[in-house]
Amino acid sequence: MNKLCFTALLVVSFILSPFARADSIDDLARDFWKWRAAEQPFSSDDIVRIDRPNDWVPNWSAAAIALYQRQLGEFEQRWKKLRDTNAPIPRQVDYFLMGSALSRVRWELDLPCSW
């Protein structure tokens, strides 16, 4: 019976392990930059700033802006949970760089309102 319980526990742990993993700065960065490629506005200069999906079309409707603001809020919440003052300095730098990227989006959505 012990062997059967151990096997069942092992199988359940294997199945649930992807869901139990904590968020990391790398996960946040991957998700954010994928989202940003689909959301980032055009720039008025001629420098290519980001690779966009092939079928990308800008959407700056009021509904889209509300969605972007909600999604940004979710990214900001994830980011705040990752603060670790005991992390190695390079990881803390990564944390603050992500904060800067999030702040840039907040500025684009809330201040110039060029959309």
Side-chain angles (χ1 to χ4, degrees), residues 8-110:
L9 181 61
L10 189 62
V11 169
V12 169
S13 297
F14 178 75
I15 292 170
L16 295 178
S17 64
F19 303 105
R21 192 167 62 81
D23 207 3
S24 74
I25 197 73
D26 296 323
D27 295 334
L28 175 63
R30 181 196 62 240
D31 296 345
F32 172 80
W33 289 111
K34 181 179 177 185
W35 172 76
R36 186 72 168 142
E39 170 276 325
Q40 182 174 340
F42 280 116
S43 174
S44 61
D45 61 28
D46 61 352
I47 300 171
V48 177
R49 302 215 179 264
I50 195 163
D51 291 328
R52 301 202 190 267
N54 291 334
D55 58 348
W56 185 81
V57 176
N59 183 357
W60 294 105
S61 65
I65 295 300
L67 174 64
Y68 299 153
Q69 289 171 330
R70 183 181 57 77
Q71 290 170 324
L72 175 60
E74 292 169 4
F75 281 117
E76 289 169 333
Q77 287 176 355
R78 286 175 61 187
W79 175 74
K80 288 175 185 175
K81 291 177 185 176
L82 295 173
R83 178 81 165 115
D84 181 3
T85 57
N86 296 320
I89 298 299
R91 296 310 284 174
Q92 291 185 50
V93 170
D94 291 343
Y95 174 83
F96 287 113
L97 288 171
M98 277 305 308
S100 178
L102 292 165
S103 293
R104 170 61 191 239
V105 178
R106 176 64 61 201
W107 180 83
E108 288 173 356
L109 290 175
D110 292 352

